[in-house]
């Protein structure tokens, strides 16, 4: 990793944790962090637990994140949460375009673009997820797919600083499967993403953090993050227990 980019280790709890469980896990993570930590750490609980987790993280350096946001500011959109509501709840980050949102909730590169713009407008930092399916990888379409997700997802974004955006490369075949991309496989795509970002965002591309996600564990985190363009991790399963999540944070140094 380049020295100017600070590692970000983000926990995506997905649809897990009651209020009590969420509070307990947030407390354990907070207590387990050592002083002078190099990495930035963020927790993305389900919406119902945002306030409770915000309480546990108060007066700490840990960041709160939403798992999704709608693009409208307010209105008759039953079930939706606006970027401003997330900001109000204490979020700094919001995950946008996760492959599970694309797979189960019909999100497309176009809706991702609308959401990114809305999130940036209120000053939240999106963690924008991209990645190919197994079929796309096997057909040799990985870079084409990821390139398209970037191009459409980041269209008409105007000028951005490197701190306003985080990307997460999450190969769909590696999510929740135990099949982690090798550090070389991941680095190849991360380097490609950075080269496309140079065209889209110019100098800011060097500051944008590109996280890897997909079966990250305390055992594989260090070798993945040793790669030049891997600037942290977006962690699903291993973030649901404090011991494994703290192990991944420790691997970041
Ligand atoms: P796993 O770590 O469970 O593979 O999930 C990755 C992910 O989807 C994080 O957003």
């Amino acid at each position: 990793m380049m020295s100017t980019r600070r590692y970000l280790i983000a926990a995506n709890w997905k649809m897990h944790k009651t209020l009590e469980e969420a509070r307990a896990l947030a407390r354990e993570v907070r207590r387990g962090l050592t002083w002078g930590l190099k990495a930035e750490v963020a927790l993305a609980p389900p919406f119902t637990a945002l306030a409770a987790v915000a309480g546990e993280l108060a007066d700490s350096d840990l960041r709160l994140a939403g798992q999704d946001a709608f693009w409208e500011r307010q209105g008759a959109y039953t079930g939706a949460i606006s970027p401003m509501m997330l900001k109000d709840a204490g979020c700094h980050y919001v995950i946008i375009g996760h492959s599970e949102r694309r797979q189960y909730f019909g999100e497309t590169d176009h809706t991702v673009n609308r959401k990114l713009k809305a999130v940036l407008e209120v000053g939240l930092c999106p963690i924008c997820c991209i990645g190919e399916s197994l079929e796309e990888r096997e057909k040799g379409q990985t870079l084409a797919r990821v390139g398209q997700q970037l191009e459409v997802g980041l269209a008409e974004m105007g000028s951005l600083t490197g701190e306003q955006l985080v990307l997460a490369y999450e190969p769909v075949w590696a999510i929740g499967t135990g099949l982690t991309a090798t550090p070389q496989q991941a680095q190849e795509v991360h380097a490609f993403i950075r080269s496309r970002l140079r065209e889209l965002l110019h100098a800011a591309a060097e500051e944008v953090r590109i996280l890897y996600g997909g079966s990250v564990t305390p055992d594989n985190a260090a070798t993945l993050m040793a790669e030049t363009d891997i600037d942290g991790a977006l962690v699903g399963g291993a973030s649901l227990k404090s011991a494994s999540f703290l192990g991944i944070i420790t691997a970041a140094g």
Side-chain angles (χ1 to χ4, degrees):
M1 189 179 75
M2 300 220 357
S3 56
T4 51
R5 297 191 297 268
R6 187 178 178 204
Y7 284 117
L8 171 61
I9 312 295
N12 178 7
W13 291 357
K14 306 189 181 182
M15 198 171 74
H16 294 280
K17 305 294 176 188
T18 62
L19 281 184
E20 200 180 318
E21 291 165 348
R23 274 194 207 100
L25 179 54
R27 206 174 304 140
E28 283 168 28
V29 170
R30 182 175 181 169
R31 284 193 190 141
L33 293 179
T34 46
W35 200 78
L37 198 66
K38 270 208 297 195
E40 188 182 356
V41 178
L43 303 182
F47 293 137
T48 47
L50 280 173
V53 172
E56 294 298 334
L57 304 187
D59 303 317
S60 78
D61 292 335
L62 280 109
R63 306 278 204 184
L64 189 66
Q67 293 183 15
D68 179 41
F70 192 47
W71 57 74
E72 294 289 350
R73 290 179 187 184
Q74 59 179 14
Y77 305 104
T78 302
I81 302 286
S82 76
M84 189 52 88
M85 288 170 178
L86 292 179
K87 197 172 176 188
D88 192 38
C91 290
H92 178 87
Y93 292 108
V94 53
I95 299 168
I96 294 292
H98 192 281
S99 68
E100 287 148 17
R101 299 292 318 170
R102 296 173 189 258
Q103 184 180 351
Y104 302 117
F105 302 94
E107 301 210 4
T108 64
D109 297 340
H110 180 66
T111 61
V112 167
N113 178 253
R114 291 189 75 172
K115 289 183 170 194
L116 289 176
K117 286 177 184 158
V119 161
L120 286 164
E121 209 177 280
V122 303
L124 282 175
C125 178
I127 300 175
C128 174
C129 302
I130 54 178
E132 82 288 0
S133 66
L134 182 59
E135 192 189 349
E136 286 160 347
R137 174 157 287 264
E138 284 173 347
K139 285 187 180 158
Q141 297 169 345
T142 298
L143 300 187
R145 178 69 190 115
V146 167
Q148 180 188 36
Q149 288 171 327
L150 279 175
E151 205 161 307
V152 180
L154 299 184
E156 301 155 4
M157 214 56 99
S159 64
L160 288 180
T161 67
E163 273 149 34
Q164 285 179 292
L165 176 70
V166 174
L167 285 167
Y169 169 57
E170 298 207 310
V172 178
W173 49 271
I175 296 176
T177 57
L179 294 173
T180 321
T182 64
Q184 295 72 27
Q185 277 176 324
Q187 169 58 25
E188 183 196 5
V189 182
H190 281 236
F192 170 77
I193 293 169
R194 181 122 20 234
S195 73
R196 294 295 289 116
L197 285 179
R198 284 188 187 110
E199 290 161 34
L200 295 164
L201 303 177
H202 311 289
E206 308 307 328
E207 310 297 327
V208 170
R209 285 166 300 174
I210 308 174
L211 314 185
Y212 168 79
S215 298
V216 176
T217 66
D219 293 333
N220 60 30
T223 48
L224 284 160
M225 289 190 280
E227 295 293 335
T228 316
D229 290 293
I230 301 185
D231 308 315
L234 182 54
V235 188
S239 75
L240 297 175
K241 292 217 162 71
S242 58
S244 43
F245 188 57
L246 289 166
I248 293 168
I249 296 167
T250 306

